[in-house]
Amino acid sequence: MTSERVPTVFLVDDHALIRAGLRAELSGHVNVIGEADEVAAAIEIILERSPDVVLLDVHMPDGGGLAVLRAVNKEQPGVKFLALSVSDAAEDVIAVVRAGARGYVTKNIEGPELVEAIVRTAAGDAVFSRRLAGFVLDAFTNRSQDGLSAPSLDPELDQLTPREIEVLRLIARGYSYRDIAEQLSIAIKTVESHVSAVLRKLQLSNRYQLTNWATERHLL
Amino acid sequence: MRTVRIITVLLALFFALGLAAYMTIWMLVPRRDESSSIFTRTMNDRRDKEILFAVLIAVLTLFIAFITIGVGPPGVSLWFLALSCLEAVMVWRGASEDERENLRQVSSNLSKTRVGRTDGWRAVALRTGLGVIFVIWGISLMSRVSGEHGAAAYVLAGASALVLGLFALFAPWWIRSIQDLSMERRARVRAQDRADMAAHVHDSVMQTLSLIQRSANDPVEVTRLARQQERDLRSWLANPETFGAHSSTARTLSQAILDVESEIEDNYDISVDAIMVGDIPLDDATLALVAACREAALNAAKWSGARDVAIYVEVEAKQVSLFVRDQGSGFDPLAVAPDRQGIAGSIIERMRRHGGTATVTSSIGAGTEVELRLPRASSST
């Protein structure tokens, strides 16, 4: 098991109400060491305080979460990002995850689940929301109707194993990691490693179809 | 009695002797507890005698016709056959009441040869007579064929006469069976229509009525529900084909699912999150899938008590899978009363009608998941 230490968390969101809500939800479970409501301030304070996990709002003025992520990653690659978004902005989320966020959750997530996701991110595991799982299934299994099959440089990165597909499908159906482990008769740790492998493929894959897909979905 | 009849049939094979003998005995021997035989009764009635005479002439004419056509002089068997015919007429005329009843029953079995109720016995007799004559004529024409020149003409004429005769004999039966087939097909279509209709009425009207019951002391809400239902029914009556899920503008599966999502979120205090992998155009089967999905999500909204319901749709190469999952109160599927239409009619039966399957997994306290699978038509891409 990972260390007993409570992870330190930094909140980035331009809505004061949401930051307050998150603080209330998280207090007692994780150590919230600060918050910011704009990109420049966020970068500065994060680099100064080096939290374990940054809870990052995707939609913000001046470049949004992506700008924070890029700037911090350059200086301190050890800081892990968990993207937080309303569920309908797929292309922003994909961009953030591709830029290095360890996962993505929606804002209607329940308190205990959010805590679990933060702990998981701090431990270096990936956190998939239902939408992200659906997106990866769609993009990687080539079921999109547009017929766009991007040329890939590394076929291994563009293939999901049957087990990974199974895990993603269960996530998309709304199962928690614990439910998935039970359903597939495997350890939770194994579920986590499958999901981490998928996240790595998502981040390293050369398929530009990924962004295409997100843009298209947004236009619908 | 049975042995006598069997012997008669066997004898009938030899020059129709048995038939004639049987008829003669039938005619001459009075029935038990009857004083007179059929023969004496017929002879005592003037009208019966006249009819008998007329039939006699008809039979003789037929014989002469046969000889001229070329069947040749009638053999022994033909004479016996003619005799049997005459006797049959006598039996019919002279039979006592209960014997006549017997004969009627036998003849009602023959009525399968009639096309419709309107055909009288006269028409049947005419058709059968014509048919027999044409068949015999055809056979006789064909049997004349020898080595002579131009024999093919006879064969052709004979064959066509034969076909014509067979057609006259069997056409009614043939037409009847075709009619039966199309009638059965129509009945099946009607049953399917009724089932679709029942499912729709349940989805809309019954659901609304149950909502009205639950908010009976809120007149504003009741009015709103009633008005909405009225609008809904009107649009369905006006155009049942395109009435899919809530809105008729959806062209693809994902659009229809999004319509379901917003419809349920509008009407209930629950958030619906639909995730779609792949997409296909809507058709009858996918519309049914959407309707079943809507029903499942509605159930979650109304009964589960959960805050959100997750819909996941995946278009695979061979099938479309759809999952509706809530983490609410759940229920015991075995404890559902058999007359409840929600799951049985609107989900399981609806999917089955379109070649798909539906599985409902639920237990008390552990939420509910409805799994719908629909095989894809091979033609679509």
Side-chain angles (χ1 to χ4, degrees):
Chain A
M1 290 302 287
T2 47
S3 67
E4 292 293 308
R5 196 176 68 86
V6 175
T8 53
V9 177
F10 191 90
L11 309 179
V12 181
D13 199 308
D14 54 339
H15 295 288
L17 213 58
I18 290 183
R19 288 199 308 274
L22 286 172
R23 253 183 199 278
E25 291 268 28
L26 298 176
S27 65
H29 303 287
V30 299
N31 184 14
V32 181
I33 58 168
E35 55 182 62
D37 62 353
E38 51 150 356
V39 172
I43 295 169
E44 193 180 320
I45 309 174
I46 290 170
L47 288 176
E48 186 186 305
R49 300 189 187 170
S50 302
D52 293 328
V53 177
V54 175
L55 210 49
L56 184 71
D57 181 21
V58 176
H59 296 279
M60 284 201 303
D62 304 323
L66 203 55
V68 181
L69 187 57
R70 291 217 172 100
V72 174
N73 245 352
K74 213 180 288 172
E75 303 287 324
Q76 294 185 7
V79 175
K80 301 183 181 75
F81 285 85
L82 181 60
L84 193 64
S85 167
V86 286
S87 57
D88 59 342
E91 84 276 31
D92 295 333
V93 173
I94 298 313
V96 174
V97 171
R98 295 269 278 165
R102 297 299 299 162
Y104 148 59
V105 293
T106 49
K107 275 180 177 168
N108 60 4
I109 191 172
E110 310 257 348
E113 286 174 48
L114 181 59
V115 173
E116 204 184 316
I118 290 172
V119 172
R120 197 164 275 140
T121 308
D125 287 320
V127 175
F128 270 53
S129 71
R130 295 184 53 227
R131 194 160 294 277
L132 187 56
F135 160 70
V136 176
L137 280 174
D138 202 354
F140 276 75
T141 50
N142 264 330
R143 292 206 195 84
S144 299
Q145 292 297 295
D146 50 26
L148 274 178
S149 185
S152 54
L153 297 178
D154 189 348
E156 197 155 300
L157 282 174
D158 288 341
Q159 298 287 325
L160 298 179
T161 67
R163 200 56 153 181
E164 285 164 358
I165 291 177
E166 234 172 324
V167 169
L168 285 180
R169 207 172 266 160
L170 286 170
I171 292 176
R173 278 162 63 177
Y175 282 67
S176 70
Y177 283 23
R178 197 172 301 109
D179 293 339
I180 294 170
E182 206 172 290
Q183 182 91 6
L184 299 180
S185 309
I186 53 179
I188 292 186
K189 209 69 213 155
T190 317
V191 178
E192 283 170 352
S193 72
H194 281 308
V195 174
S196 295
V198 173
L199 184 75
R200 198 174 54 248
K201 289 178 183 178
L202 175 61
Q203 289 172 342
L204 297 181
S205 170
N206 264 308
R207 307 163 69 103
Y208 50 78
Q209 190 193 349
L210 298 180
T211 337
N212 255 355
W213 178 91
T215 316
E216 252 178 37
R217 283 301 179 278
H218 189 63
L219 289 174
L220 276 178
Chain B
M1 202 56 200
R2 174 170 292 182
T3 39
V4 173
R5 283 187 183 141
I6 291 174
I7 291 169
T8 309
V9 169
L10 285 176
L11 277 176
L13 294 176
F14 298 99
F15 313 119
L17 178 66
L19 194 62
Y22 184 83
M23 297 300 287
T24 313
I25 293 168
W26 190 358
M27 225 171 53
L28 293 178
V29 178
R31 271 183 72 160
R32 204 181 304 162
D33 55 74
E34 267 178 25
S35 54
S36 55
S37 70
I38 292 172
F39 182 72
T40 49
R41 258 179 287 164
T42 319
M43 283 303 138
N44 290 339
D45 193 310
R46 209 181 145 224
R47 216 175 110 73
D48 283 357
K49 260 191 278 185
E50 280 173 8
I51 290 173
L52 206 62
F53 188 62
V55 173
L56 189 68
I57 291 173
V59 169
L60 283 174
T61 321
L62 210 64
F63 267 41
I64 293 163
F66 272 37
I67 295 166
T68 37
I69 285 167
V71 181
V76 190
S77 55
L78 219 52
W79 282 115
F80 277 124
L81 211 62
L83 185 60
S84 310
C85 285
L86 269 178
E87 282 166 344
V89 174
M90 274 175 95
V91 165
W92 178 248
R93 293 304 307 179
S96 60
E97 258 325 299
D98 53 338
E99 208 163 358
R100 226 176 257 215
E101 193 49 49
N102 256 346
L103 287 171
R104 254 188 224 112
Q105 262 173 21
V106 173
S107 65
S108 73
N109 288 340
L110 291 174
S111 67
K112 290 206 169 58
T113 51
R114 288 195 267 180
V115 177
R117 294 261 162 83
T118 50
D119 272 21
W121 269 107
R122 238 168 272 238
V124 175
L126 180 70
R127 195 175 48 240
T128 313
L130 273 176
V132 170
I133 289 172
F134 270 111
V135 168
I136 293 173
W137 187 34
I139 291 171
S140 69
L141 275 179
M142 289 207 289
S143 62
R144 267 170 59 159
V145 175
S146 55
E148 61 188 281
H149 221 61
Y154 287 117
V155 175
L156 269 177
S160 12
L162 189 62
V163 168
L164 210 66
L166 288 176
F167 184 78
L169 279 175
F170 296 112
W173 170 79
W174 184 56
I175 291 170
R176 166 77 63 98
S177 69
I178 288 176
Q179 274 178 346
D180 281 355
L181 195 71
S182 71
M183 237 144 73
E184 192 189 305
R185 204 172 293 151
R186 265 204 299 276
R188 218 180 311 128
V189 169
R190 225 176 292 139
Q192 164 115 11
D193 280 354
R194 203 180 304 128
D196 276 334
M197 176 91 159
H200 176 266
V201 166
H202 172 269
D203 285 8
S204 54
V205 181
M206 302 291 256
Q207 294 276 21
T208 309
L209 284 179
S210 82
L211 281 177
I212 287 178
Q213 277 173 33
R214 293 172 87 197
S215 49
N217 41 19
D218 182 356
V220 180
E221 177 69 1
V222 170
T223 317
R224 187 186 69 81
L225 286 168
R227 200 177 298 130
Q228 185 192 342
Q229 183 55 59
E230 187 195 335
R231 202 169 33 213
D232 209 45
L233 263 185
R234 275 184 202 287
S235 85
W236 182 67
L237 287 174
N239 206 352
E241 286 84 20
T242 55
F243 186 92
H246 175 61
S247 134
S248 56
T249 55
R251 284 292 163 83
T252 66
L253 180 61
S254 67
Q255 286 167 4
I257 297 285
L258 286 176
D259 284 347
V260 170
E261 180 183 325
S262 55
E263 182 205 350
I264 292 177
E265 281 190 338
D266 285 351
N267 293 317
Y268 298 88
D269 182 26
I270 194 166
S271 94
V272 183
D273 193 14
I275 308 254
M276 261 98 43
V277 171
D279 203 357
I280 46 171
L282 283 176
D283 57 23
D284 275 0
T286 40
L287 272 176
L289 179 74
V290 171
C293 161
R294 177 178 175 274
E295 179 67 21
L298 264 182
N299 282 340
K302 289 199 320 194
W303 311 111
S304 75
R307 276 180 50 200
D308 40 30
V309 53
I311 300 176
Y312 174 64
V313 190
E314 184 172 349
V315 178
E316 294 166 69
K318 294 247 171 67
Q319 64 171 4
V320 183
S321 317
L322 196 157
F323 301 87
V324 180
R325 184 168 193 263
D326 70 68
Q327 307 210 51
S329 52
F331 65 97
D332 182 0
L334 295 176
V336 175
D339 63 325
R340 304 292 300 202
Q341 275 293 299
I343 290 171
S346 294
I347 299 178
I348 295 174
E349 187 55 27
R350 177 179 266 153
M351 290 306 293
R352 201 188 56 75
R353 272 205 307 283
H354 290 90
T357 58
T359 317
V360 180
T361 316
S362 184
S363 59
I364 290 163
T368 305
E369 184 167 50
V370 178
E371 177 180 342
L372 310 173
R373 290 189 192 279
L374 184 74
R376 286 179 65 182
S378 49
S379 55
S380 63
T381 47

